[in-house]
Amino acid sequence: MTTLSPSDALTKRDELVNLGYTIIPGVMPKPLIDELSAWSDNVFTKIHVDPKYRYQGSDIHVYTEERWAKMGRETDEKSFPDPIVKKILEQPLQKELCQQLQLEGLRSHGGIIILSKPGYGPPLYWHQDFMNWNSPQAATPWPTRVFLSYYMTDTTPENGCLRVIPGTHRKRIDLHDILPDAHESEIQAIDDLNHPVFADHPDAIDVPMKAGDLIIADARLMHGAYPNQTDQRRTLLLAWHDVFDFPNPPSWWTGEVPEVVKNADLNAKYERSRTPSHHIR
């Protein structure tokens, strides 16, 4: 993968804003994919994944050594530092592409999450990961929090590829009103695969990807994944980033700015919530 042409970069940026996600092929180099695949496989030889994470596959948080030093925590099997994280977050081509998309002020949270679905693992329920629904930040037409992710293997519907419902980062649908909060005890306890959290949706699309393709997605986007019907592990490495300087729009923004965003009180404190609020309509 080389850098994008100006027109392709604009197309990708528009996809992120309007669809809620975009994919850039072949960003992570093969040697790094191989290194990370071996490293993540080794992680799973040392840990026991709690059954409550069966739909996510796992929930392992790994940080740069600099970020970990600031956290002041004790390591455990689910949370620890590793210098390899810096290789993921500071890939030169990834940085250049994000600059081409004009993702201004892109700021990593200093870690990654390993989400690995084992062979014959169940589907991932429909959910969105945004946690600031009470804040006017939820009403921005542009993203303010995104994930940058890579799969370590090619993905298909057979081995549990991603599914998304485009536009749900900005437009309310039926699922917003019926889904339990993402990754909380209520949704993790569901045992019936016929439950609406797993149901097909008429607007859903499959997102098969090649190992090393970069997906950038708005935290508000509704997404899930198929079950893994193979005997091979399917691993995803996800890194959260903040982007743009709320409440200011991107420098390139030419659309309307919602009044609730324009008038946002920067000193106000809002209770964090995973439940979609009136800010999405």
Side-chain angles (χ1 to χ4, degrees):
M1 172 72 195
T2 57
T3 55
L4 299 168
S5 69
S7 62
D8 286 343
L10 179 58
T11 296
K12 295 297 182 183
R13 192 184 76 197
D14 285 348
E15 288 176 352
L16 176 60
V17 170
N18 298 320
L19 302 179
Y21 75 102
T22 191
I23 296 170
I24 305 175
V27 174
M28 182 176 283
K30 181 66 162 55
L32 183 54
I33 295 171
D34 291 343
E35 181 181 4
L36 290 167
S37 294
W39 169 76
S40 57
D41 284 345
N42 185 56
V43 168
F44 284 101
T45 67
K46 302 175 181 178
I47 69 167
H48 170 71
V49 176
D50 191 316
K52 75 179 181 181
Y53 296 117
R54 63 194 180 281
Y55 298 128
Q56 294 165 257
S58 58
D59 186 43
I60 301 166
H61 296 246
V62 192
Y63 298 89
T64 64
E65 293 174 306
E66 294 86 350
R67 178 74 179 96
W68 187 261
K70 294 177 181 178
M71 294 168 66
R73 291 170 54 181
E74 294 293 327
T75 63
D76 58 43
E77 64 177 16
K78 279 190 54 187
S79 185
F80 54 89
D82 195 296
I84 203 169
V85 173
K86 205 165 194 176
K87 293 185 180 182
I88 303 169
L89 300 180
E90 297 187 1
Q91 294 175 81
L93 181 55
Q94 175 180 287
K95 284 188 171 184
E96 186 170 354
L97 290 165
C98 289
Q99 290 173 353
Q100 285 192 287
L101 268 62
Q102 293 181 279
L103 300 183
E104 298 157 353
L106 191 67
R107 306 174 297 282
S108 163
H109 289 190
I112 65 163
I113 305 174
I114 308 176
L115 298 166
S116 189
K117 192 173 291 294
Y120 306 111
L124 174 60
Y125 41 72
W126 290 116
H127 71 285
Q128 48 70 35
D129 290 301
F130 197 65
M131 297 182 68
N132 291 328
W133 285 106
N134 289 329
S135 166
Q137 185 180 352
T140 59
W142 56 86
T144 59
R145 179 160 293 178
V146 294
F147 62 76
L148 277 62
S149 295
Y150 298 91
Y151 287 93
M152 298 293 95
T153 55
D154 295 354
T155 62
T156 65
E158 185 182 18
N159 72 347
C161 76
L162 179 70
R163 307 188 76 202
V164 303
I165 306 179
T168 48
H169 61 309
R170 293 168 56 184
K171 182 179 179 181
R172 182 178 290 274
I173 63 170
D174 53 343
L175 286 176
H176 283 102
D177 297 318
I178 64 173
L179 291 180
D181 288 350
H183 312 318
E184 301 292 349
S185 57
E186 181 181 354
I187 200 167
Q188 289 174 331
I190 293 171
D191 287 325
D192 181 7
L193 294 183
N194 292 313
H195 191 284
V197 301
F198 300 109
D200 198 6
H201 192 278
D203 297 326
I205 64 170
D206 300 349
V207 188
M209 295 172 60
K210 296 289 187 182
D213 291 352
L214 170 63
I215 180 168
I216 307 174
D218 193 307
R220 299 169 294 182
L221 180 69
M222 195 77 69
H223 61 286
Y226 282 110
N228 185 356
Q229 301 177 69
T230 74
D231 61 359
Q232 300 297 308
R233 181 178 293 281
R234 187 232 62 191
T235 297
L236 169 71
L237 305 182
L238 180 151
W240 284 109
H241 294 68
D242 293 322
V243 65
F244 306 118
D245 184 19
F246 179 80
N248 302 316
S251 65
W252 42 262
W253 185 256
T254 59
E256 292 186 6
V257 178
E259 289 298 319
V260 69
V261 175
K262 285 183 187 177
N263 301 324
D265 180 357
L266 298 185
N267 295 316
K269 303 295 183 183
Y270 299 95
E271 183 178 357
R272 291 173 69 82
S273 172
R274 292 183 181 270
T275 304
S277 67
H278 66 282
H279 289 305
I280 185 169
R281 301 177 184 276

